[in-house]
Amino acid sequence: MITIHEARRILTFNPARPAAAHVAVRDGRILGAGRLEELAGWGDYRLDRTFADKVLMPGLVEGHSHVAEGVQWRFVYCGYFDRTDPDGKVWSGLKSIEEVVARLQQANAAASDPSLPLTGWALDPIYFDNRRMTRKDLDRVSTTRPIGIMHASGHIMNVNSKALELAGMLRRGINHPGIPLDDEGLPTGEMKGPEAMTPLGPHVGLDRGLLSADEPGLRAFARLCVRAGVTTAADLANLLPQPAVDMMLRVTAEQDFPARIVPLRIAREISPVELVDRVLELGRLSTDRLRLGKIKVVVDGSIQGFSARLKAPGYYNGAPNGLWYVAPEQLREILERSLVAGVQVHCHTNGDEATDLVLDMLELALRKHPSPNHRFTLQHCQLANAAQFRRMRALGMCVNLFPNHHFYWGDQHYALTVGPERAERMNACATALANGVPMAIHSDAPVTPLGPLFTAWCAVNRRTASGRVLGEHERISVADALRTITLGAAFTLGLDDEIGSIECGKRADFAVLEDDPTEIGSERLKDVRIWGTVLGGRIFPAADI
């Protein structure tokens, strides 16, 4: 049966027919958008006026997020900014380490089982005048229960003495760049990077393999997607053990599951040969709502955590350079084998030195294995300069930039991490577009809240939390920003032939809005009200999620 949806306005992102008032859908696919009398030519139909006073646009595509956000809401929220959970409750932000400790003490007092760890998330000491949290701070909460808090970046973890003891790390003699020591020669409890964090994870409830395999977390993440107008979301760092894949296949196949998930297998714990073989195997399991078969490589850490790799002159405050997460030879082998196998690779690079490494290794790989449409994508890529964007274009790369950083950490980048000049060019959306690099923008949820329209607002306005405009020359138009969270993100995921615009033959995925993002004004783009989504023709009101 054909359903024709009537709307106040339909923004199609199809240049042949950019706006319409009706869209026809059959079997989850779009037949066309246009006038009712045109669409009636497809045959008998049912006219649905549910959206008669709404605005439809293509379902928003979150090109870099993490399903683990749905899990983390079961932990103690320790972030600086107010934040809304999957059920719509707003949690107040914490403005000091004392407030963080107090919230953890409250959670510890309420916990019934003394053997279970106490887990927090979204901490970022850079907001507390860069005063680092230590194990002694967390020991004030408990010395008998292991405690761990994941930083907002996901690249640093703080733990208490009990957690270090359980991991066999409360001792002198440790020599690792990701494990700072105190005056006693013992770990401070701040663990930087996967090598330092991984041994602690199972003791503090932050085992990444378990987080990615959590069914309630996947369902909670999908609810967040509906509230944000998202119909397709990438899960950009998943170990994808087979039990997790089986669970995701089962849950996403349910009739009432409201999102399409694109999980990438992170390059960790297996060799490049095994990695590519596993990803090819996963790709054969793909369904419409679970798209498998891509690789994620993490090259460095985070800028606000001072673990990203920066080219000279380094960090503005004189901090030592960050951490490498992958060896050049290993990265090159992954890229070469992926090109041969036809597997797409997304590389996390925050610092410009890390971006150079990927560009160098991919250039060498492409000389051996030319590929005209590989779409290898640099994720975050925050400090890339114009010369690097020119290289990306020459190498056929895409980029997925992170403009949310301007709001959440822009003031800190300006004053502390990279200094005024580089802070004003960070996440250079205008430069990427000017150089013809296919571009998306993202939230990296749970690093920042899932919400592509907020991310678009960040790219258009580049305002920090204090109201400073950080790099006016890198602002982009509302039209370009909306494209990056629809067709742009779809292109980086290799899905632009199916989603990202409302036109004949594509999947019937829509964001249903109360306001028109092209008319509300650039300053209010983040305030567009979201009614819900449509995924494959199935309607999901946010109020019912």
Side-chain angles (χ1 to χ4, degrees):
M1 180 65 179
I2 296 169
T3 299
I4 297 181
H5 297 286
E6 179 183 340
R8 185 169 96 235
R9 192 180 186 203
I10 301 172
L11 307 171
T12 68
F13 291 80
N14 173 9
R17 185 163 287 186
H22 296 84
V23 58
V25 174
R26 183 177 63 198
D27 299 329
R29 295 273 185 174
I30 298 167
L31 298 176
R35 300 191 306 274
L36 180 60
E37 56 268 29
E38 293 176 321
L39 300 176
W42 285 100
D44 293 341
Y45 65 88
R46 176 180 67 88
L47 181 64
D48 186 334
R49 303 193 72 249
T50 302
F51 309 133
D53 62 343
K54 314 297 182 194
V55 174
L56 300 184
M57 67 179 290
L60 305 183
V61 181
E62 175 51 79
H64 186 144
S65 59
H66 300 275
V67 166
E69 165 144 8
V71 184
Q72 292 186 4
W73 278 110
R74 297 206 299 273
F75 305 151
V76 182
Y77 177 62
C78 299
Y80 184 80
F81 294 89
D82 294 354
R83 191 147 171 176
T84 304
D85 70 16
D87 297 321
K89 177 181 176 179
V90 177
W91 290 79
S92 60
L94 305 176
K95 306 305 183 185
S96 68
I97 286 179
E98 288 301 316
E99 290 189 18
V100 173
V101 169
R103 180 169 285 179
L104 291 168
Q105 288 172 332
Q106 184 179 22
N108 182 59
S112 56
D113 188 340
S115 67
L116 293 178
L118 181 62
T119 310
W121 67 289
L123 177 70
D124 202 330
I126 202 168
Y127 297 123
F128 311 141
D129 295 325
N130 209 33
R131 199 281 246 185
R132 315 310 290 180
M133 177 172 269
T134 70
R135 71 175 194 279
K136 294 178 181 178
D137 292 316
L138 295 179
D139 287 347
R140 291 159 51 199
V141 179
S142 176
T143 57
T144 58
R145 183 197 299 277
I147 301 172
I149 311 178
M150 183 66 75
H151 281 217
S153 69
H155 290 271
I156 301 174
M157 178 192 300
N158 275 92
V159 297
N160 69 343
S161 296
K162 184 63 176 179
L164 288 166
E165 177 189 323
L166 291 172
M169 299 175 71
L170 190 62
R171 57 183 174 83
R172 296 177 177 85
I174 293 176
N175 182 14
H176 189 284
I179 306 177
L181 306 178
D182 62 17
D183 293 340
E184 304 171 67
L186 297 171
T188 65
E190 184 173 82
M191 319 303 287
K192 300 181 178 183
E195 289 182 1
M197 294 191 297
T198 298
L200 276 301
H203 299 291
V204 297
L206 288 168
D207 184 310
R208 292 205 171 194
L210 293 177
L211 295 182
S212 67
D214 187 271
E215 181 174 333
L218 176 59
R219 296 183 188 280
F221 179 79
R223 295 201 301 275
L224 285 170
C225 287
V226 174
R227 293 183 183 280
V230 171
T231 52
T232 298
D235 179 19
L236 225 71
N238 199 314
L239 289 170
L240 292 175
Q242 194 58 45
V245 175
D246 292 341
M247 178 275 292
M248 297 175 90
L249 285 167
R250 173 174 53 81
V251 172
T252 57
E254 294 173 355
Q255 183 62 22
D256 60 351
F257 190 79
R260 181 179 299 103
I261 307 296
V262 187
L264 277 65
R265 208 300 181 179
I266 193 167
R268 190 176 296 167
E269 301 183 8
I270 55 177
S271 71
V273 174
E274 294 169 317
L275 175 66
V276 174
D277 287 346
R278 172 59 174 160
V279 167
L280 288 171
E281 178 186 352
L282 288 168
R284 291 190 284 270
L285 300 176
S286 284
T287 65
D288 171 33
R289 283 179 243 158
L290 189 69
R291 301 302 181 93
L292 300 157
K294 303 179 191 299
I295 289 172
K296 163 77 175 295
V297 181
V298 182
V299 180
D300 67 343
S302 80
I303 297 171
Q304 71 273 24
F306 300 95
S307 58
R309 293 291 305 191
L310 272 57
K311 295 170 67 172
Y315 284 100
Y316 189 55
N317 69 342
N321 211 345
L323 303 173
W324 289 114
Y325 285 13
V326 66
E329 297 79 11
Q330 183 186 23
L331 174 61
R332 182 176 175 180
E333 184 178 356
I334 292 170
L335 296 176
E336 287 187 4
R337 291 185 178 278
S338 298
L339 287 170
V340 172
V343 170
Q344 190 191 27
V345 179
H346 291 241
C347 290
H348 159 123
T349 68
N350 266 312
D352 47 3
E353 188 178 31
T355 294
D356 259 356
L357 179 64
V358 176
L359 295 172
D360 291 345
M361 294 301 101
L362 182 58
E363 186 171 354
L364 293 173
L366 284 169
R367 287 176 185 173
K368 291 178 66 175
H369 307 289
S371 177
N373 190 32
H374 58 78
R375 302 195 196 183
F376 284 17
T377 300
L378 287 165
Q379 294 284 344
H380 306 324
C381 196
Q382 294 200 75
L383 285 180
N385 58 35
Q388 290 175 321
F389 282 112
R390 288 190 286 271
R391 288 189 71 190
M392 291 176 218
R393 177 59 177 171
L395 294 171
M397 297 196 79
C398 307
V399 68
N400 191 353
L401 298 174
F402 197 178
N404 286 23
H405 252 259
H406 296 294
F407 179 79
Y408 287 102
W409 291 283
D411 292 317
Q412 287 73 31
H413 291 320
Y414 187 95
L416 194 63
T417 68
V418 299
E421 181 178 338
R422 285 177 296 176
E424 288 176 349
R425 76 144 197 258
M426 286 179 73
N427 298 294
C429 294
T431 297
L433 292 177
N435 283 281
V437 180
M439 185 182 80
I441 57 178
H442 65 272
S443 70
D444 197 13
V447 177
T448 69
L450 183 74
L453 287 169
F454 175 81
T455 301
W457 175 86
C458 290
V460 169
N461 294 282
R462 294 178 66 94
R463 290 196 183 277
T464 71
S466 71
R468 180 199 303 270
V469 175
L470 203 56
E472 186 168 355
H473 63 292
E474 290 292 352
R475 287 175 162 181
I476 60 175
S477 68
V478 170
D480 282 336
L482 295 177
R483 182 181 175 85
T484 63
I485 58 174
T486 50
L487 273 170
F491 186 88
T492 67
L493 298 174
L495 296 174
D496 53 304
D497 61 331
E498 298 183 59
I499 61 175
S501 60
I502 297 175
E503 55 186 303
C504 183
K506 288 199 171 183
R507 297 189 182 276
D509 295 355
F510 313 130
V512 185
L513 312 176
E514 301 281 5
D515 310 295
D516 188 334
T518 66
E519 294 180 348
I520 197 170
S522 59
E523 291 283 350
R524 296 184 57 210
L525 189 57
K526 63 181 175 58
D527 301 320
V528 170
R529 295 168 296 164
I530 295 165
W531 181 90
T533 60
V534 178
L535 179 71
R538 296 169 302 132
I539 298 173
F540 297 97
D544 297 342
I545 287 294

